[in-house]
Amino acid sequence: ISEFSSRLPQYLASSLAILALSLVLICSDLPKTGVLLLIVWLGDRSSIEVLLARPEGIAFLALSGAFVVLVRRQSLPHWLVAFLAGLCTSLAAGFHPRACVFVLGAFVFLAVDIGLSAFRRFIPFFVLGVAIPVSLILWCAVPVSRAVPDIRAALTQLAWHAHLGKTSNFVHLREGFTGYRWSCPWVWAVGLATAAVTCAAFARRKPLHRVALAATCFAFCGLITFLTSLTMFPPYLVYLSVWPVIAVMAQIESGSPQRRFYRVIAAVLLVAWFPSMGWNLLRTREAYKFHSALSTAHLAGELALTVPPEAPLMVSGDLYIAARCSVRKPFIVRQASSPSDWPCDAWLAVTTAAVVPWNVAQLPGRVVRVSNENLFPGYPYSPKLTILTPCQNFH
């Protein structure tokens, strides 16, 4: 599987999600909001985070399906709305467990909108919608040699992965999301906008527009998802950023009596959007400028020229995908290992960017064949490549 084939489904899914949201807004007599959403997405930090081959793009598409159902709930039977809302939100949670907040959010939204006494008749349909993705997840988790899935092991792995981040969300809050660079104001703006529209929804004297009400519910769920993500990595912004924008613009375009309040929020979002748009353009420019310079052809050529075709090869983790494109199947030099654990007949290809607890110059019995050569010759920030021979008694 190539990097391109890993990134493409997420990009297409997120693009389809934005298109579906725009179309449902236009069909809900909010054409300006639908068009503005397409423009806002270009400057939203989320639009480049869906290119990282993570599950956010597909999860966002499933959440968009749930949002469309809730917006069009007046024209659909209640049992079908409950079923589709449970199906889409739990499907999103299946692709990314952090999205499970939206399942509860959709349930509460329907219970309040329809009325709890009337909604009781449709709870089985909602549960049925949730049960279908859950059943698929359990079916996929069943190993060939077992009759039931190893849920305990799966939860252990999930807990381990959830605590990989070394920086907590409180540290990100204290530091002001500096890791987001120019998109930092946008993160604060969508977070504050979500808090503002949620408070306005609870304190309202007149009912919100049906689109704004659904968007406010999803914005609140997205904020909880983002704040409880432990690391607040940029990809988690996908679950948050578009919903407060839809809520604010829908209230303005629908002629809400509180238009002045929502226009102030829209102005804050607009000011924060420009630097985020600039950061997206800069990232796009860098990708275009260095696309050819970041080709792995140079590494493949060095390996073909230096390492015998049938010889075993060990590489640092950052070279694995690039080395795998060659004719050989590489093995990874793990950080916790030591030179005594490596096969003496294996060649080594490592970079200075790899965090390893050993010094290349101190490896016993190996000779440096390629020394500190640029891995990407046309890239100014290229890591250095070093290739070492097997131990001398095997070489």
Side-chain angles (χ1 to χ4, degrees), residues 98 161-169 172 177 180 226-234 236:
R98 289 290 177 188
H161 187 272
H163 291 82
L164 280 181
K166 298 180 180 179
T167 305
S168 67
N169 49 4
H172 281 288
F177 301 103
Y180 282 79
F226 181 74
L227 293 178
T228 58
S229 62
L230 296 179
T231 55
M232 292 185 181
F233 285 148
Y236 292 110

Side-chain angles (χ1 to χ4, degrees), residues 303 307 309-335 337 341-343 345-350 358:
L303 293 177
V307 183
E310 301 301 327
L313 174 66
M314 299 189 70
V315 299
S316 53
D318 54 349
L319 292 179
Y320 177 76
I321 294 179
R324 193 166 177 239
C325 296
S326 62
V327 295
R328 69 191 84 250
K329 181 181 179 181
F331 301 93
I332 295 180
V333 178
R334 303 195 180 277
Q335 297 181 14
S337 63
D341 299 328
W342 308 335
D345 60 337
W347 288 71
L348 293 179
V350 296
W358 41 265

Side-chain angles (χ1 to χ4, degrees), residues 69-70 72-85 110 113-115 118-119 121-123 125-126:
V69 170
L70 295 183
R72 308 297 294 179
R73 62 190 181 278
Q74 304 297 337
S75 58
L76 297 173
H78 286 168
W79 67 268
L80 183 60
V81 172
F83 172 77
L84 293 178
L110 290 176
D113 184 71
I114 299 176
F119 184 64
R121 296 181 298 161
F122 307 106
I123 291 179
F125 296 100
F126 187 90

Side-chain angles (χ1 to χ4, degrees), residues 1 12 23-24 53 73 87 101 189 233 267 272 287-288 290 340 358 374:
I1 298 178
L12 293 179
L23 290 177
V24 76
R73 62 190 181 278
L87 176 67
V101 181
F233 285 148
Y288 175 79
F290 295 114
S340 60
W358 41 265
N374 285 336

Side-chain angles (χ1 to χ4, degrees), residues 140-180:
C140 292
V142 175
V144 178
S145 59
R146 295 177 61 92
V148 294
D150 194 347
I151 301 299
R152 183 176 181 179
L155 293 177
T156 301
Q157 183 183 20
L158 179 62
W160 171 82
H161 187 272
H163 291 82
L164 280 181
K166 298 180 180 179
T167 305
S168 67
N169 49 4
F170 295 105
V171 174
H172 281 288
L173 285 171
R174 187 178 69 247
E175 295 178 351
F177 301 103
T178 54
Y180 282 79

Side-chain angles (χ1 to χ4, degrees), residues 257-288:
Q258 298 177 320
R259 286 192 301 272
R260 181 175 301 178
F261 170 75
Y262 288 101
R263 283 172 180 170
V264 172
I265 302 177
V268 174
L269 289 170
L270 180 62
V271 172
W273 179 82
F274 279 105
S276 182
M277 179 65 178
W279 181 251
N280 286 0
L281 291 176
L282 180 63
R283 291 277 295 268
T284 304
R285 170 186 173 273
E286 295 296 304
Y288 175 79

